[in-house]
Amino acid sequence: MTKRVMVVEDNDLNRKLFCDVLKANGFDVDPVADGGEVLAVARKVMPDLIIMDIQLPGISGVDLIAAAKRDSALKDIPVLAVTAFAAKGDEDRIRSAGAAGYLAKPVSIMPFMNAVKELLPA
């Protein structure tokens, strides 16, 4: 069965790149640009993985990860956090919120796909 990945990214180019790479690797993809829709869309599509941008307009990706981990329907879905702001302590803070993986932007294709495959064993 094909794995479903939800891509939460407000930047159109990054979202398209992530989605295109995932589709080329055989994944079904649900793109989400608006952080306010993340939890509702996740409950609706029940993805196997959520790729979460941390810097979203009006809402923190860290808060969304924590909210998903508190949600009984979503808590077991792994989250791969992707952020342009990779300051000291950020990875610990993001992982503490519940992220299973962490990548700093700019993201290269191979490390990105390796992180996805690590969180989605076949």
Side-chain angles (χ1 to χ4, degrees), residues 54 65 69 78-81 91 93-102:
I54 296 303
I65 293 168
K69 293 303 169 183
V79 178
L80 173 59
E91 182 173 358
R93 182 173 57 89
I94 291 165
R95 285 187 182 272
S96 292
Y102 174 91

Side-chain angles (χ1 to χ4, degrees), residues 12-32:
D12 293 340
L13 291 174
N14 287 343
R15 189 174 58 254
K16 181 175 178 0
L17 174 65
F18 293 159
C19 290
D20 288 350
V21 168
L22 289 163
K23 287 176 191 171
N25 281 273
F27 294 97
D28 286 335
V29 180
D30 294 292
V32 178

Side-chain angles (χ1 to χ4, degrees), residues 1-19:
M1 192 169 124
T2 305
K3 299 280 187 177
R4 173 169 236 106
V5 180
M6 189 169 101
V7 177
V8 181
E9 171 63 69
D10 63 305
N11 179 288
D12 293 340
L13 291 174
N14 287 343
R15 189 174 58 254
K16 181 175 178 0
L17 174 65
F18 293 159
C19 290

